[in-house]
Amino acid sequence: MSEAVNTGTPLYGSEASADDQQTAFTNGEVPVAVYGLGKMGLPLASVYAEVTGNVTGADVDPDVVAGLNAGENHIAGEPGLDELVDDLVSRDAFRAVADPKEAATDARVHVVIVPTLIDDNGAPDLSIVESVMRDIASGLEEGDMVIAESTLPPRSCVDRLLPILEDESGLELGEFGLAFCPERTSSGRALEDIRGAYPKIVGGADEESTRVAELIYGHLNTNEIITVSDTTTAEAVKVFEGVYRDVNIGLANELAQHTEAFDIDVTEAIEAANTQPFCEIHAPGAGVGGHCIPYYPRFIMKEFDTETPVMRAARDTNDEMPLYTADHAVDGLHAEGVDPAESTALVLGLTYRPGVDEIRATPALPLVERLVEEGVDVDAVDPVNTHTEPFEAAGANLVDLDGVAETYDAVVLVTPQEAFDDLDLTSLAPQDGRLVVVDGRQSLTELRGHDAVHYRGVGVNV
Ligand SMILES: NC(=O)c1ccc[n+]([C@@H]2O[C@H](COP(=O)([O-])OP(=O)(O)OC[C@H]3O[C@@H](n4cnc5c(N)ncnc54)[C@H](O)[C@@H]3O)[C@@H](O)[C@H]2O)c1
Ligand SMILES: CC(=O)N[C@@H]1[C@@H](OP(=O)(O)OP(=O)(O)OC[C@H]2O[C@@H](n3ccc(=O)[nH]c3=O)[C@H](O)[C@@H]2O)O[C@H](CO)[C@@H](O)[C@@H]1O
C-alpha cells in the first residue's frame, strides 16, 4: 500500500453521479497511468492524455522515457503521433517515468499494455504483465481501476492477475476493479484504431469494473462499446480474432501449395471465390510474422487440455511457408542449371509486414537461414528494418538499396516494402542466364513470362 495519500478522484465504487464521474475523468481529476509505451502503448497513452489531460506513462526503457519527456515520439510510421506527443508533453498532459511503481502511486486508473511473449517452449510468457501487476499493487488504493489491454490467454485475469493484485495490495476485488479491454489496433493506424475504427470490447471482473471500463472507453472510442460477461470472455474475443486469422491464412497457404498440381493461379481462384459473402479466404504468402497472429493460437493450444488439431495444423503450415518459399528459389536455381552453393541471392524485405519496423517471428529469418544452409550467398535489403543482428548472425549480408549488386542468380521477395516499387529487378539478371524471381507476396506477377526471368510465386502459377 502506498504511503502517499492519493488525491485523485476514484471511479470504481464511486457514489457520484455518472455525469460527475465523466466530468472528473475528462477534467483530469482521475490520474491515469499507462504501463508500456511501445508501438501500442504510446498511441494508447496519447489518446488517454488527449481525453483526460493527466497521464503518466511508465516504461522500463530509459531512452524511451527521456525521449518522450523531450516531446519526441520513438514510434515510426504512426500518422499524427509525432505532433500529438509533442503537444501533450508541452502542455503537461502526458509525462513519462522509468519506474512503474512511481506511476502507480498517484494513478486511479492503471492501463497495462506491455508485451505478452512466448517462451522457448512456445508457451505464453506473462512474466512482464505479472511484474507490472505487482508494481501496480504497490500503489493500489481503494477505488482504483486496473485495465489490461495486453493480449492474454483466456482466464489470465481471474487465475493470475487478480490474485497478484489482491495478494500484493491487501485489497480485494470490490475495493478496486479489474477489466480486460483488448487492444484492437494495427501498427501504422494506431491512433485511428484506438479512437474508434472498431467497437471496443470490455469485460469486467465484476459488474462495477465493467461499468467503469465502459465509462472510460466511452470517452476514448467513438465507436460502440461492447460489454461482455467477464474478463475471460473478453480475453477469448481477442485471441479468437487472432486464431481466426492464423487458421485462415493457413488454409490459404495450404491451398497455394496446390498451384502446380491444379496448374492454376490459386490466388486468382481465391480472389474469385471471395466475391460471394460467405467466403473470405486470406492471402497465401511467404509466412506469418509479428507478435500477434503467430502467437495467439499458442494462448489456447499450449494452455488448455482440449485438443486443437485445426489450430495446430494451420500453425504448422504457416511455420513451413518460409522454407517452402526458400525451396522455390533453390528449385528455380537447379532448373536454371545453377548450383545453389555457387549462387547469389537478394532477399527483399525483412520486417514481418510492410511499413512496420518489427521482426518478431518474421518469415524472412528462417528463409534466409534455409538459403544460407543451401550454400547461397545471400544479400538482404529492407529500408524499414532497423534490427540487423539476427540476419547477420544467420549469414546474410545486409545491404542498402544503393548497395545492391549488379547481378544475382535469384531474388526472393518476402515483404513488399514501398521502396521496392521502383526497382527494375530484370536489370539484376546474370549475363549468361535468367534471374530466378520468387514472389512471396504476389507482388511481382508482372515479371511472369519476362525473357530474363524464371518466375516462381507462392500461389501464383507460371
Ligand atoms: N503490435 C500490435 O500490432 C499489437 C496489436 C494488438 C495488441 N498488441 C498487444 O499489445 C501489447 C504490447 O505490444 P507492443 O506492440 O506495444 O509491444 P512493444 O514491444 O512495441 O512495446 C512494449 C513496451 O513495453 C516496455 N516494457 C517492457 N517491460 C516493461 C515493464 N515491466 N514496465 C513498463 N514497460 C515495459 C518496453 O520497453 C516497450 O517500450 C502486447 O501484449 C501485444 O500482444 C499488439
Ligand atoms: C487489432 C489487431 O490486433 N490487429 C492485428 C494486426 O496484426 P498484424 O500487425 O500482425 O498484421 P497482419 O496483417 O495480421 O499480418 C500478420 C502476418 O500475416 C501475414 N499475412 C497476413 C494476412 C494474410 O492474408 N496473409 C498473410 O500471410 C503478414 O504478411 C504478416 O507476416 O493487424 C491485423 C490486420 O492487418 C489484425 O487482423 C490483427 O488482429
Side-chain angles (χ1 to χ4, degrees), residues 38-40 59 113-114 116 128 150-151 183 185 291 296 360:
K39 289 187 297 300
M40 295 296 112
D59 198 295
I113 181 79
V114 291
T116 34
I128 296 178
S150 298
T151 307
E183 183 59 72
T185 304
H291 47 34
Y296 294 166
R360 251 173 274 197

Side-chain angles (χ1 to χ4, degrees), residues 273-329:
N274 286 345
T275 55
Q276 57 97 1
F278 308 109
C279 185
E280 193 197 344
I281 304 170
H282 289 26
V288 178
H291 47 34
C292 290
I293 307 308
Y295 290 166
Y296 294 166
R298 301 181 198 282
F299 286 9
I300 296 180
M301 292 190 311
K302 286 278 183 179
E303 284 299 278
F304 303 96
D305 295 337
T306 311
E307 286 305 309
T308 54
V310 175
M311 291 185 239
R312 187 166 300 283
R315 193 81 296 281
D316 291 346
T317 298
N318 291 337
D319 272 347
E320 82 188 19
M321 290 312 286
L323 310 182
Y324 174 86
T325 306
D327 290 348
H328 256 310

